[in-house]
Amino acid sequence: MALYLAVANRKGGVGKSTASIMLAHSLSTWGGKRVLVVDIDSQCNASIILLGGCGWREARDGRKTISDYFVDCFKTPHTIPETYLVKETGDVVGSGGRRPVLDLLPGSLLIDEVQGDLFLDLASSSIGKSSIIDLSQRLGKLLRRWDASYDVVIMDCAPGLSFVTHAAIAIADRVIVPFRPDYVSLMAIDRISLVAEGVTNLDELAAIPISRRRYMCLPNFVRGRGQERLLIEEVGLTHPLTRVQLSHRDGIANAFEWSADARSIEDKYGDGVADLRGLYDEVSASMLATISPAKGYADDSHRALSA
Ligand SMILES: Nc1ncnc2c1ncn2[C@@H]1O[C@H](COP(=O)(O)OP(=O)(O)O)[C@@H](O)[C@H]1O
Ligand SMILES: [Mg+2]
């Protein structure tokens, strides 16, 4: 079974796509994992980063997108999930120039409209409120169909809380919540934490020990100022925090720079390599803790990844 990671925050511009791509590059290249990135955001940044603009348009014209996948699956029960993927993406190669297993379910500009249409279809054929839960559950099941083919599935979520984002958070083994250490970001963390834990208010959340939570907050854009340190500490009083903090660096911004000429991961990330290594070490250590050698991930991995 694959480990499913949702990278989510209801706020945009906090580094969701950046962290998704950093995890994808490092887990596939350094860790030798078979990695699938699922691009859930209609901005399609993860797709453009992994395929380049032309590659993404080609995928779209070839009906290899998340929208095509969902629409076809709702129409016919016998779709083959692999046919919607683009294989061997990204611009990073491992030692000896080998391509890592880094595949992509490309994003779609139409994903918001598509989920609205699917919802209406479902609502007209079922009674009342159940169609909301029904749609989320069906989308979640479709997202888990790559369980057997990959070691890690990374879902780069949209900033809002659409049906698909809800579904991704619901089926994820772990939710990584990148945030900027500023006051505006605090409320966004509170909101996503409630969704990740399936509770309705902060009192209910407080009843769940921090070490048992499914989500982890990842400080990003850190410049090492005193004010930021205090804010990160404040987040750590109510939410689980990663040990690693991503600095504000040009090398990390390079995650967004797709190049037609593949290069080593160290060349791509430049002065961001140490941050990348920290993120990789922490995620792979907590992943390894849940792998049972005989039958893949432990059955309770949905809840057991906290260090
Ligand atoms: N640690 C960082 N240092 C420098 N630039 C960053 C860092 N994290 C993200 N960025 C840049 O910030 C912008 C927003 O990041 P992005 O990953 O698109 O956020 P989101 O997916 O949450 O909207 C992008 O241009 C990205 O290159
Ligand atoms: Mg994004």
Side-chain angles (χ1 to χ4, degrees):
M1 275 172 80
L3 179 91
Y4 271 69
L5 298 173
V7 184
N9 188 325
R10 67 183 306 206
K11 217 171 164 308
V14 293
K16 292 181 293 297
S17 300
T18 302
S20 299
I21 297 302
M22 289 170 79
L23 285 167
H25 278 145
S26 59
L27 289 166
S28 61
T29 306
W30 287 335
K33 303 284 181 214
R34 297 168 302 162
V35 175
L36 172 66
V37 172
V38 175
D39 187 354
I40 283 172
D41 190 354
S42 60
Q43 292 184 54
C44 303
N45 284 338
S47 305
I48 294 165
I49 295 167
L50 287 176
L51 297 175
C54 288
W56 176 69
R57 277 190 293 278
E58 235 171 71
R60 192 187 57 184
D61 295 346
R63 298 195 76 254
K64 286 174 186 268
T65 74
I66 190 165
S67 289
D68 297 302
Y69 173 59
F70 285 147
V71 167
D72 292 356
C73 287
F74 271 67
K75 269 198 220 135
T76 119
H78 300 300
T79 42
I80 301 165
E82 270 66 30
T83 56
Y84 296 86
L85 305 181
V86 181
K87 305 278 177 154
E88 294 197 344
T89 66
D91 57 356
V92 159
V93 284
S95 55
R98 262 202 317 273
R99 280 262 172 201
V101 179
L102 173 42
D103 300 345
L104 171 73
L105 176 62
S108 156
L109 299 171
L110 299 176
I111 185 65
D112 298 323
E113 287 83 347
V114 160
Q115 53 194 313
D117 290 348
L118 294 176
F119 174 70
L120 289 176
D121 283 354
L122 214 57
S124 64
S125 61
S126 63
I127 315 153
K129 281 197 300 189
S130 65
S131 48
I132 294 180
I133 298 166
D134 204 18
L135 176 59
S136 228
Q137 284 177 348
R138 285 177 70 168
L139 295 174
K141 272 189 198 146
L142 294 176
L143 289 172
R144 279 224 76 124
R145 283 175 78 193
W146 290 283
D147 241 335
S149 342
Y150 291 91
D151 299 312
V152 187
V153 177
I154 298 166
M155 299 174 288
D156 181 22
C157 294
L161 285 172
S162 62
F163 285 115
V164 192
T165 297
H166 261 290
I169 292 171
I171 57 123
D173 298 298
R174 291 306 302 270
V175 181
I176 295 176
V177 182
F179 70 100
R180 284 178 186 252
D182 58 42
Y183 276 99
V184 183
S185 298
L186 278 182
M187 271 170 61
I189 296 177
D190 286 348
R191 179 82 180 100
I192 200 84
S193 66
L194 301 181
V195 177
E197 296 303 324
V199 293
T200 52
N201 59 55
L202 292 174
D203 290 336
E204 283 176 19
L205 182 73
I208 306 170
I210 283 188
S211 62
R212 294 252 202 93
R213 310 248 181 106
R214 217 155 48 97
Y215 68 98
M216 287 192 105
C217 301
L218 168 67
N220 188 19
F221 294 100
V222 177
R223 293 180 197 264
R225 297 176 180 145
Q227 176 88 351
E228 285 178 338
R229 245 196 327 272
L230 289 177
L231 206 131
I232 293 168
E233 275 173 22
E234 195 177 326
V235 169
L237 294 176
T238 35
H239 301 289
L241 272 180
T242 56
R243 284 186 299 279
V244 67
Q245 300 185 358
L246 301 181
S247 321
H248 193 150
R249 288 188 198 284
D250 290 347
I252 294 182
N254 280 349
F256 258 61
E257 302 297 325
W258 184 83
S259 154
D261 297 320
R263 53 209 151 142
S264 74
I265 191 166
E266 291 79 9
D267 282 349
K268 181 175 175 81
Y269 284 92
D271 70 358
V273 167
D275 295 72
L276 181 65
R277 177 60 76 175
L279 180 64
Y280 165 76
D281 284 346
E282 187 163 353
V283 170
S284 48
S286 52
M287 271 170 50
L288 287 173
T290 63
I291 293 174
S292 108
K295 59 181 178 76
Y297 296 101
D299 293 335
D300 62 351
S301 63
H302 273 68
R303 298 284 177 269
L305 244 165
S306 288

